[in-house]
Amino acid sequence: MKQRIITGVLGGAGFLAFLWVGGWSYAGLIGVLATIGYMEFCRMKKIPFYSLEGAVGLVLMWLILLTGLAERGFLPPIWPLQVPNNILTGLVVLLTLIVISRNRIQVEEVAYLFLGSLYIGFGFSYMIQTRLMTDGMIWSLLALTVTWANDSGAYFMGKRWGKRKLWPSISPNKTVEGSLGGMVLSLIISGIIGLLFPELGSLAAVLGIGLIISIVGPLGDLIESAVKRTTGVKDTGSLLPGHGGVLDRFDSLLLVFLVLQTIQLI
């Protein structure tokens, strides 16, 4: 617990510092985290990230990441930085590798890497894109703090009062009571952010976004838990003491930013 809290506080403070600075510093940090996250994703399936198929997936992930910068005017709009081109070209290349390798590269590996490239690429890309928006730092702060509050509230409430299992076949430690506690704390933090930053809109709207985050965040965590169960690993990595790997820490945030941007709530 002590190690988890220390890592969380130091890591969170450092991440918020990069968020406040913004620009290339924040984009660069996100790029590093995305790369490590992709490496962890490959490692879970025992696919070397430096293999031919792993490298193609990594390039696809980076193209998606950079496309977000181009769409926000942070990079010049050039042909490779277009979402349809990225996805279709990456898919064709990965499928072609099955034939070229004479089935050494299996279709399951290709599907896994393709999914991982999209999941990690779009998730981290939307984190950058949100920061580049008008009032982007505040919107990012809302998504980050509410997600962290949800995670912390669920953890401590679950430890203290959790009895009924939420989804034992996927994540045996999550409880209904913990989830409700995380949701309540999410709404409290959303209300505080809404009152401190009226430029985000009405308090009701901010609370509504906070409620969505409190639902989507745990779903992102459950999705990552399901992937880990199918690949037979406990943690995606060991970079963050007490938390595991990058994907263990950012699984909720990836889905939160992806959903909020997709349905254009921020």
Side-chain angles (χ1 to χ4, degrees):
M1 175 63 70
K2 181 179 179 181
Q3 188 180 55
R4 181 183 178 89
I5 292 175
I6 292 174
T7 301
V9 171
L10 294 178
F15 192 86
L16 290 176
F18 275 92
L19 175 67
W20 182 77
V21 173
W24 282 110
S25 296
Y26 183 66
L29 173 65
I30 296 299
V32 171
L33 292 174
T35 302
I36 296 174
Y38 177 81
M39 292 167 61
E40 292 175 350
F41 195 81
C42 291
R43 192 181 304 121
M44 284 194 289
K45 193 69 172 175
K46 296 181 174 60
I47 302 174
F49 74 93
Y50 49 82
S51 63
L52 182 58
E53 62 272 28
V56 170
L58 179 62
V59 171
L60 174 59
M61 186 274 293
W62 260 100
L63 284 174
I64 293 173
L65 197 69
L66 293 174
T67 298
L69 298 181
E71 290 179 346
R72 293 288 175 178
F74 208 62
L75 287 176
I78 57 178
W79 180 84
L81 301 183
Q82 298 178 16
V83 171
N85 293 337
N86 297 338
I87 295 176
L88 294 177
T89 302
L91 177 61
V92 170
V93 172
L94 284 171
L95 289 174
T96 303
L97 291 181
I98 300 175
V99 178
I100 294 176
S101 69
R102 299 180 180 179
N103 284 331
R104 179 189 64 80
I105 300 173
Q106 301 292 316
V107 65
E108 293 84 1
E109 295 178 343
V110 166
Y112 181 83
L113 292 172
F114 183 68
L115 176 63
S117 297
L118 299 185
Y119 163 60
I120 296 170
F122 278 114
F124 279 111
S125 176
Y126 282 133
M127 292 182 71
I128 300 175
Q129 290 187 56
T130 300
R131 180 61 179 88
L132 294 174
M133 292 168 46
T134 302
D135 296 322
M137 191 188 75
I138 303 174
W139 284 114
S140 298
L141 185 66
L142 174 68
L144 289 167
T145 54
V146 173
T147 302
W148 291 341
N150 182 270
D151 183 56
S152 299
Y155 181 83
F156 289 108
M157 291 290 286
K159 281 287 187 180
R160 179 65 180 84
W161 289 289
K163 293 181 180 180
R164 288 170 290 184
K165 298 297 183 181
L166 179 66
W167 214 304
S169 61
I170 299 296
S171 184
N173 294 325
K174 293 190 184 304
T175 63
V176 174
E177 294 81 2
S179 297
L180 292 175
M183 185 176 294
V184 170
L185 189 56
S186 294
L187 292 175
I188 292 173
I189 296 300
S190 299
I192 294 173
I193 296 292
L195 292 173
L196 290 176
F197 301 101
E199 55 265 49
L200 295 181
S202 68
L203 181 60
V206 175
L207 287 173
I209 294 175
L211 179 61
I212 292 174
I213 293 174
S214 71
I215 297 171
V216 174
L219 177 60
D221 187 44
L222 286 171
I223 290 172
E224 187 64 31
S225 295
V227 174
K228 288 190 290 187
R229 281 194 169 274
T230 60
T231 55
V233 300
K234 183 178 183 297
D235 294 318
T236 62
S238 57
L239 180 66
L240 305 172
H243 293 267
V246 168
L247 291 182
D248 289 315
R249 183 66 275 177
F250 284 83
D251 49 8
S252 297
L253 288 169
L254 290 180
L255 197 64
V256 163
F257 278 94
L258 196 155
V259 168
L260 292 182
Q261 283 278 357
T262 300
I263 59 180
Q264 297 182 335
L265 283 180
I266 60 176

